[in-house]
Every structure is written in structure tokens, then in C-alpha cells.
Amino acid sequence: MSQKNSSEAKRTARERMQEERAAQEAKTKRLRKFGIIGTVLAVIVVAVVIGVLVQNSRTSSYDAATQAPAGTIGTNKLIIPVGSSAAPSTLTVYEDLRCPACGSYEKSFHTTVNQLMAQGKIHVNYHVVSFIDRNDNGSGSKNAANAVACAQNVGKFHGYHDVLYANQPDETDDAWADKSKLITLAKQVPGLDTPTFESCVNNNSFGAWVTAVQKDFDKSGYTSTPTILLNGTSAYPTYNGEQISTANLIKWVDAANKGKTPATISPSASAALVSPNASPSAAG
């Protein structure tokens, strides 16, 4: 081999080694980059998993077996029933006790609804939500929902429910942030204002239940209160194209019940349903 060819061979080998070294360094950089990206992704995945676990722990913190008021119904005991379950029609009510439209509905229809229950034609399933607090950073909706749960726990929901609506503050006035006002209103329901009830209100004993009811509402697809359903069909502000009124509500219930037997209601239970504050045995 000539000296020239030998020099060229050495240069070619040297260049090849440099190219290989450069390629190896580039590969190393790529691997290091991918390693960093992989680490970041792993951290993100771990964070997401932790977030999901935390959220699941929050949503599963409610235990229906031990934290629901007595007499509540449904899969997770989030519903407060009033009236006979043997009644052929069901009125479902989603309400926030601070909601002015709910107050308007109750003031206009509670007498008619109570009479329909007393006649054994309907029973009412109440979902007591508390989203107004979330919108204005208040606490009155949650306090009131807990208070009616305390009343439900001793069989006095119906009477206390009507008292709260009869004394509902303006929506902009978070009056029930003061729990003593809820306790004072309980004096209007015979037999409700007891040390047990006061402790239940002051200690927020059914707070987990109140939160669970609100979460259920958030997942329901309904977005406002009152949401009123007659046998699963929206009845507020209209039902099958007709505007709601006391006369129409009676007509709708009678049409839905055609050919069906009303529930048998005892005279004392009927009286309690019509005037739920008149007797300590008010239905709940």
C-alpha cells in the first residue's frame, strides 16, 4: 500500500470513528431526553391516579347505612318520602330550601299537594339539595338541609319543611347561616325542638348525607330547582304542554291514576298530612 493510500485509509478510519462517536452521543442524548419525558409522564400518571383515589375517597366517604336520616329511601337513602308509598302516583321534588322559585312553588302548591297525599292519590319524594351555597359561598342551604334531615330522623320532616318555606329568607340573605334561627323555627312544630334536635343541627350531624344528596343532583342531569316530576315526567312549569296550576295538578294526577286504587289513609294520618304542624304525630 502506498503512503498516500495508507494516509487516506487512516483518515477514513478516523472519520468513521468520529462519526460513530457522534452517532453514539446523539443516541445517548435522545435516550436521556426520552428518559426525562418518561419520568415526567410517570409523575403525571401518578398524580392523576392519586387525584382519582382522593376523589373516590371523597365521593365514597358517605355511608348510607350509618349516615342517612331514619326513614330515607332509595339506593343510597338520599330521598325523603312523605305520604303513603301505596299511592298510585309519585311526585318527585328537587329543591333547595333557599331557592325563591322553590318557595313560590311551595307556597302555591303545598296545600294542594298535602290534600292529594291525604286522599292517597300521591306520595312525594323530596331531594333536598344545597347548590345555592356553592354559588354564593354561603352555608344556609346546607344548614337547612341538615336541619330537615334532623327533623326527618325523628319523623317531623313534613311539618318542619312547611315551616321553613313559610319563613324562607330572601335568596340574597344567608339568614340560615345562623343555626339558631333554624332551631327557633323548629318551635313551631310540636315536639321537634328538643336537645337531641338542637345538637343535631348545631353539630351538622347529617352533613355527609347533605353532601351526598347534592352530588347526586349534580350527576342527575337536572340543573335548576325546583325540578318537579309527576311519575317521572317533568311537571314544572309545564306538563305535557300544559301550564302548571293547582287545578291542573289535580287533573293530571286524576288522569294518571285512572283505573288505579288510591292508598288507604287513616283519619289521623290524613289529618297530619293536611296540617302537618297540628300534631306531634305529623307524617314524615
Side-chain angles (χ1 to χ4, degrees), residues 62 64 68 71-81 125 127:
Y62 164 69
T72 47
I73 62 173
T75 303
N76 293 310
K77 297 186 177 181
L78 302 178
I79 302 166
I80 296 179
N125 287 338
H127 300 250

Side-chain angles (χ1 to χ4, degrees), residues 29-270:
K29 288 180 181 179
R30 285 198 304 273
L31 291 174
R32 188 181 299 118
K33 181 179 179 180
F34 290 145
I36 292 171
I37 293 172
T39 301
V40 171
L41 290 175
V43 170
I44 292 172
V45 169
V46 169
V48 169
V49 170
I50 290 173
V52 170
L53 291 174
V54 169
Q55 184 61 30
N56 286 344
S57 69
R58 287 174 180 167
T59 56
S60 63
S61 62
Y62 164 69
D63 182 357
T66 60
Q67 295 177 301
T72 47
I73 62 173
T75 303
N76 293 310
K77 297 186 177 181
L78 302 178
I79 302 166
I80 296 179
V82 178
S84 172
S85 60
S89 281
T90 303
L91 197 68
T92 301
V93 178
Y94 290 84
E95 60 179 10
D96 187 313
L97 291 158
R98 286 182 62 193
C99 160
C102 298
S104 246
Y105 164 78
E106 287 292 341
K107 289 178 178 68
S108 298
F109 290 93
H110 85 277
T111 297
T112 300
V113 170
N114 288 351
Q115 288 173 342
L116 288 168
M117 285 193 291
Q119 294 165 357
K121 293 182 177 181
I122 64 168
H123 65 275
V124 184
N125 287 338
Y126 287 96
H127 300 250
V128 185
V129 303
S130 49
F131 70 92
I132 289 178
D133 283 353
R134 186 170 60 196
N135 294 342
D136 70 358
N137 295 317
S139 59
S141 288
K142 292 188 288 287
N143 287 349
N146 176 71
V148 294
C150 295
Q152 167 64 22
N153 200 50
V154 293
K156 306 283 183 187
F157 167 82
H158 189 202
Y160 187 53
H161 172 268
D162 282 3
V163 165
L164 290 189
Y165 273 114
N167 295 274
Q168 185 189 54
D170 290 339
E171 183 180 5
T172 55
D173 178 10
D174 192 17
W176 291 335
D178 181 354
K179 295 176 181 178
S180 68
K181 294 181 178 179
L182 293 163
I183 291 171
T184 297
L185 289 172
K187 298 180 189 300
Q188 298 183 35
V189 181
L192 178 57
D193 183 24
T194 65
T196 299
F197 174 79
E198 292 186 11
S199 174
C200 183
V201 172
N202 285 325
N203 294 328
N204 195 37
S205 295
F206 292 106
W209 178 84
V210 170
T211 299
V213 175
Q214 178 57 46
K215 287 181 178 178
D216 182 68
F217 179 68
D218 290 338
K219 295 185 292 186
S220 70
Y222 304 121
T223 57
S224 63
T225 55
T227 291
I228 314 294
L229 311 173
L230 176 59
N231 296 325
T233 299
S234 178
Y236 182 92
T238 62
Y239 177 78
N240 292 336
E242 291 186 295
Q243 191 74 24
I244 193 170
S245 66
T246 53
N248 275 347
L249 181 58
I250 293 169
K251 181 183 75 171
W252 299 340
V253 170
D254 285 343
N257 290 354
K258 187 175 181 179
K260 301 175 183 177
T261 304
T264 300
I265 310 291
S266 69
S268 60
S270 178

